[in-house]
Every structure is written in structure tokens, then in C-alpha cells.
Amino acid sequence: MIAPIERTLAGLRAQTAIWRKAGDTIGVVPTMGALHQGHLSLARAARAACDRVIVTIFVNPKQFNNPSDLDSYPRTEQDDARKLESTGVDLIYVPSPDQIYPEGFATTVTVAGLTDMLCGATRPRHFDGVATVVPKLFLQTSADFAFFGEKDYQQLQVVRRMATDLDIPVTVVGCPTIREEDGLAMSSRNLLLSDRARIKAPMLAEVMQDIRAQLLNGATMAQITPDAKARILTAGFTKIDYLELRDGDDLSLLDQAKPGARLFAAAWLAGVRLIDNIAV
Ligand code: PAF
């Protein structure tokens, strides 16, 4: 059965009040729609852990750096609702913009430090947009648990920091990246790739796996990076925003593998920015 879609905060609160009264735990999976298997795996993780599951779909204008990116973001609500059918979620919350940012809305949440590097360096204010909308979604849904993909690992760390700093009583759960058969990390942005670009896209993950193997053999990023970047560019990517090894907790820069290290990459392919990260 397709889960009911709720568009207003009042309607959402009426429903969650009933669940709360019954003593049910609530899990939320915040999304911007254009759902793929990665999102569905989050919904399933929520389903397994919580009595009630809400998936939110809101294309958050505050986290886009340019209007054309916001305009071209895929919007596939009916399709998304159908895809969620198999996961057994209880409610899909699709707020209209005024339910999130009503007239006069004037608050911005900034998480310092974690947002200076990686995607934060090339997408100014992006994480302010994320750190502002996510607590609203937590509080509106009154969720006990919130599920995020490790695909957006920096976002996961930013959300964890924000929830801790603001004393929001939610447990943030990170779930593994889901990949296509050829290794490409699933992302709503993959829909924007042309057929030709889609064939080239898995090269990013392939090079990252090779870097991982070299790091585990004792090589340093300083030694590996020039050749690895050249391979990515030769494969057809036009620009590399970053290819860096960082600590998985505080995201500080590393040159060598150590427990908890992660390799992060962002690169442009035919006008589409792809990101990926793997544990090393
Ligand atoms: O990862 C996303 O889809 C978005 O950044 C999120 C967490 C739903 C906030 O808008």
C-alpha cells in the first residue's frame, strides 16, 4: 500500500501525537526525493529499528548554491511514493515551502569547523542550509531516530554535531553507501548523467579503491595523488574539487592510512558533480 502523503505541519503533528500516545518510537529518513535504492535502504533500516517511520521529501532551497542546480533537481513525487511502497513506511511528509520556511523565517544554523573543508570549501553556505533544515525536520517529526547515508559522509558528521550541540533528543544513524553493480555510488544526481557520462562515472570509485589498496600498503597521499588525479581526468572527468584522506570523526586531513580514516572525492563529469567516500 502506498503510504499516505502529509503536506502540512499541523497534519503531521496530529499523526505523531497519536503515535506518541501509543508509546511508539518514530524514525525519520530526511530526503529531497528522486529516491533510489540508497534511500530505500535507509527506509528499511528505519523500518527495522522503529515502530513508526516517516520519510520526508523536501527540496531545500537553502542548501543549493545556484538557482539552476535547484531548478534542475529531479522532482519525482509519485514515483517516490510508489518506490517506498515495498519498505512499509507509515507516512511521507512532503511539506510545502511555507511549512518549513514561513513568512519572516530568519534563523540560520551554522556548524563551524566541519564545514570549512571538502564540499564546504566549494559550496559556500550549503551546509548552513542542511544544518538549518534538518533540525526543523527532526523537531517537526519528533523523531527518536534519524537515518542518513554515509554517501554524504560530511553531511552525516555535520548533522551529528548539530544534533549534539542543540541537544535535540534524536539518535543519528549512519547507513552504508549503496552502489550500482559497476561500483558507482547511488545518488539522485546520477539521473542527470548522459548515457556516455554514465559509462565513465564508475572510474571515480575504481580509482578510489586503488588508492585505498596503495594506502594500506604503506604509500602516502602525497605519493599517490598526482597519478590518481591524472587517471580521473583521463577517464573524462573535467575537474576534481578534492581527493583527500581525512579522519572519519573530525575530518582532519591525513597523509597516511590509520584506523577510522576515510578517502573523500568530488569531481565533475559532463557538468554533473559526483561525490564519493570510502573507509580506508
Ligand atoms: O541528503 C539530502 O538529501 C539532504 O541534504 C537532506 C539531508 C534531506 C537535507 O535537505
Side-chain angles (χ1 to χ4, degrees):
M1 200 183 76
I2 292 192
I5 294 180
E6 179 54 64
R7 297 183 193 278
T8 68
L9 176 55
L12 174 70
R13 288 216 162 123
Q15 180 60 80
T16 54
I18 295 169
W19 291 340
R20 284 261 162 255
K21 209 168 162 199
D24 290 347
T25 55
I26 299 176
V28 66
V29 181
T31 81
M32 296 205 300
L35 303 184
H36 50 67
Q37 287 301 326
H39 296 111
L40 301 189
S41 75
L42 301 180
R44 285 191 196 102
R47 179 72 287 160
C50 306
D51 298 319
R52 300 291 178 176
V53 179
I54 303 171
V55 171
T56 70
I57 299 179
F58 179 66
V59 182
N60 174 31
K62 287 194 189 291
Q63 70 187 74
F64 285 81
N65 295 89
N66 58 62
S68 67
D69 201 15
L70 174 61
D71 290 345
S72 67
Y73 202 85
R75 286 164 174 84
T76 53
E77 184 184 307
Q78 289 313 312
D79 227 30
D80 292 343
R82 266 193 299 275
K83 284 182 186 163
L84 285 170
E85 221 180 322
S86 65
T87 66
V89 304
D90 296 284
L91 188 74
I92 306 173
Y93 179 47
V94 190
S96 51
D98 65 328
Q99 301 296 292
I100 300 289
Y101 302 122
E103 185 75 24
F105 185 87
T107 299
T108 299
V109 179
T110 297
V111 176
L114 287 173
T115 57
D116 295 344
M117 77 291 274
L118 299 174
C119 290
T122 44
R123 303 186 67 192
R125 293 177 305 282
H126 165 71
F127 286 115
D128 285 0
V130 172
T132 301
V133 79
V134 170
K136 293 212 55 148
L137 296 170
F138 286 175
L139 295 170
Q140 290 194 350
T141 57
S142 69
D144 303 289
F145 295 89
F147 297 80
F148 290 84
E150 287 183 345
K151 155 82 173 27
D152 295 303
Y153 193 88
Q154 187 178 13
Q155 167 172 281
L156 174 62
Q157 293 306 94
V158 168
V159 166
R160 284 189 164 130
R161 182 79 262 160
M162 174 277 297
T164 302
D165 290 355
L166 298 183
D167 300 322
I168 301 182
V170 66
T171 301
V172 176
V173 183
C175 302
T177 302
I178 305 295
R179 296 180 181 277
E180 304 284 357
E181 269 179 21
D182 58 13
L184 178 66
M186 287 194 187
S187 164
S188 307
R189 281 172 198 272
N190 296 352
L191 290 176
L192 304 174
L193 292 169
S194 66
D195 289 350
R196 277 190 68 198
R198 175 63 190 80
I199 292 168
K200 297 172 182 170
M203 193 48 145
L204 187 62
E206 196 177 315
V207 172
M208 290 174 74
Q209 286 298 339
D210 290 349
I211 295 175
R212 179 175 181 274
Q214 292 178 62
L215 285 166
L216 293 177
N217 273 333
T220 65
M221 284 301 283
Q223 291 165 337
I224 301 167
T225 307
D227 193 44
K229 283 190 169 174
R231 277 182 68 200
I232 294 168
L233 294 172
T234 309
F237 285 78
T238 48
K239 191 177 163 225
I240 299 167
D241 282 349
Y242 55 77
L243 180 62
E244 292 172 352
L245 184 70
R246 289 189 175 263
D247 180 88
D249 278 334
D250 64 13
L251 303 185
S252 58
L253 198 58
L254 302 173
D255 191 39
Q256 278 181 295
K258 67 160 204 178
R262 289 191 93 86
L263 182 66
F264 293 86
W268 291 83
L269 178 63
V272 182
R273 187 173 180 276
L274 299 180
I275 64 170
D276 200 349
N277 73 89
I278 53 172
V280 175

